[in-house]
Amino acid sequence: MSIGSNFARLLKKQVSNINSQKKWTHSVAVIGAPFSKGQKKRGVEHGPTAIRNAGLLERLSKIGCSVYDVGDLKFAHVPNDALYNNVVKHPRTVGLACQVLADAVSRAIGAGHTCITLGGDHSLALGSITGHAQHCPDLCVIWVDAHADINTPLTSKSGSLHGQPVSFLLRELQDKMPIIPGFAWAKPCLSRSDIIYIGLRDLDPAEQFILKKYNISYYSMRHIDCMGIHKVMERTFDQLLGRRQRPIHLSFDIDAFDPTLAPSTGTPVLGGLTYREGVYITEEIHNTGMLSGMDLVEVNPLLGATSDEVKATANLAVDVIASCLGDTRDGAHMIIDDLPTPSTTYESDNEEQVRI
Ligand SMILES: [Mn+2]
């Protein structure tokens, strides 16, 4: 690392200390997005309720956030929502849901909140990132996921839009994007160097081609094995924040975790993040002081084999979000500026005098 970049890091650390102090009193908006039409399995629309029931709001209050709960958004099912190109499912319904979410996120960010979207499936990230970018055009994105979700409507084999949101967001891919019903409102707001993936381990051939051709940065599970999560995060911030401070959007798919930790999700893939790796990612993101919005998606309470599995997955989602907002493994959640001193009344007690 050069002296220049060491200096930049030092400066960044100072800025981040100031910012993380500010975050203690920062207000957080929580938006429930009970939406499942971006994929095929029933149940992911119950994700927001499962995460709330696992104590999210109480946990955030406990660590000093002032929480503004927007409640759950209402999504309409568009009638006669025919397949696009015989493959892509529910395009108008997904497009409309993302538009509704984009408006809600834009309002929350505009009102000065750090915005948390509870999914719902990952197609929603098109809405949350677009809404976020309306107020923060220099936004960058950290996408933590087993999958790259970057198929275009023309490369997708499953037709599920939760595997495609990133293709709508990237400017460089627009000449490969067909005009698809329901998405006329969506304008790409990211360039290829504005996004970094962490945790990938299941890429379709077209996705692998896109990542290579457009030189999109990613750290797969293999990279994490090779260099460790510490180095991965250092490189992530060097690329995204090395030259300037800018708002971060974290899009966190619970399937990034190993299925032993997060079994209640639609597309689990073996060999995922450990608990410690996942929480390290979010602690480091908090420490930048630049987190401005996030998604926590794909918790599906109908897919657990037992109620314990469902609870474990929802609890993990709460841990991830709390850690993004300042919960630490070091314990010090609230700022304490002094220790209690024994009172003078006590000092003057008889017992105390006898001891003297
Ligand atoms: Mn995903």
Side-chain angles (χ1 to χ4, degrees):
M1 191 182 280
S2 71
I3 293 172
S5 102
N6 270 334
F7 179 70
R9 187 159 286 281
L10 191 68
L11 199 67
K12 200 156 57 187
K13 219 166 192 151
Q14 282 171 1
V15 172
S16 101
N17 285 341
I18 296 163
N19 280 335
S20 49
Q21 296 274 321
K22 204 178 70 184
K23 291 279 179 189
W24 290 110
T25 52
H26 212 105
S27 55
V28 172
V30 176
I31 300 176
F35 185 74
S36 63
K37 297 292 180 189
Q39 50 85 66
K40 291 168 207 157
K41 295 179 182 166
R42 258 179 357 105
V44 74
E45 70 276 15
H46 301 303
T49 302
I51 298 170
R52 287 174 196 280
N53 288 347
L56 176 68
L57 302 185
E58 299 78 2
R59 181 82 168 272
L60 294 180
S61 302
K62 211 169 135 193
I63 60 171
C65 297
S66 99
V67 183
Y68 171 61
D69 188 1
V70 176
D72 286 354
L73 300 177
K74 303 259 181 297
F75 300 113
H77 184 79
V78 180
N80 306 317
D81 194 0
L83 294 179
Y84 169 77
N85 200 25
N86 280 325
V87 182
V88 179
K89 299 180 179 73
H90 313 297
R92 298 160 192 82
T93 303
V94 175
L96 181 61
C98 286
Q99 194 175 9
V100 168
L101 178 60
D103 288 345
V105 170
S106 176
R107 273 197 300 277
I109 299 279
H113 301 294
T114 301
C115 184
I116 302 170
T117 299
L118 307 176
D121 74 62
H122 217 165
S123 64
L124 292 163
L126 169 62
S128 64
I129 293 174
T130 303
H132 193 173
Q134 282 167 11
H135 287 277
C136 306
D138 61 338
L139 194 71
C140 63
V141 174
I142 300 175
W143 193 284
V144 182
D145 202 322
H147 313 87
D149 298 347
I150 198 170
N151 270 296
T152 75
L154 302 179
T155 68
S156 170
K157 295 277 181 283
S158 70
S160 295
L161 276 156
H162 78 155
Q164 307 172 42
V166 183
S167 71
F168 288 86
L169 290 164
L170 290 190
R171 294 186 188 97
E172 287 84 351
L173 276 172
Q174 292 316 295
D175 63 332
K176 308 294 183 203
M177 296 295 286
I179 294 167
I180 167 168
F183 291 86
W185 60 275
K187 301 285 173 272
C189 56
L190 299 174
S191 294
R192 51 148 288 274
S193 57
D194 297 331
I195 182 168
I196 292 187
Y197 288 103
I198 299 174
L200 301 185
R201 57 193 183 278
D202 184 12
L203 294 176
D204 295 337
E207 293 186 303
Q208 206 168 29
F209 176 82
I210 292 171
L211 294 185
K212 290 262 150 59
K213 178 175 164 61
Y214 295 93
N215 195 19
I216 297 165
S217 295
Y218 64 94
Y219 297 101
S220 67
M221 288 313 300
R222 187 182 153 70
H223 291 111
I224 296 172
D225 287 341
C226 285
M227 63 175 89
I229 196 66
H230 167 74
K231 196 98 203 143
V232 165
M233 295 317 292
E234 198 172 82
R235 291 197 185 174
T236 297
F237 297 133
D238 273 347
Q239 178 180 324
L240 295 177
L241 307 177
R243 278 157 292 177
R244 59 194 160 128
Q245 294 294 305
R246 58 203 296 222
I248 296 174
H249 185 104
L250 169 64
S251 205
F252 201 114
D253 189 322
I254 202 76
D255 75 19
F257 279 107
D258 194 79
T260 50
L261 297 168
S264 297
T265 190
T267 47
V269 188
L270 280 177
L273 296 173
T274 64
Y275 183 92
R276 284 161 61 179
E277 286 164 341
V279 167
Y280 186 79
I281 292 169
T282 47
E283 285 172 348
E284 286 295 280
I285 290 175
H286 170 76
N287 287 340
T288 66
M290 298 310 293
L291 182 71
S292 165
M294 75 173 289
D295 319 309
L296 196 300
V297 297
E298 301 285 357
V299 171
N300 186 333
L302 294 191
L303 291 179
T306 62
S307 68
D308 281 351
E309 285 196 357
V310 176
K311 272 189 211 146
T313 309
N315 287 341
L316 187 58
V318 171
D319 284 354
V320 164
I321 298 168
S323 164
C324 281
L325 291 158
D327 206 351
T328 76
R329 289 178 284 177
D330 301 335
H333 302 311
M334 302 291 252
I335 294 172
I336 294 174
D337 41 25
D338 206 356
L339 286 175
T341 313
S343 70
T344 44
T345 351
Y346 182 76
E347 293 278 336
S348 67
D349 275 359
N350 286 343
E351 194 189 329
E352 199 64 26
Q353 285 164 2
V354 171
R355 236 170 63 192
I356 292 166

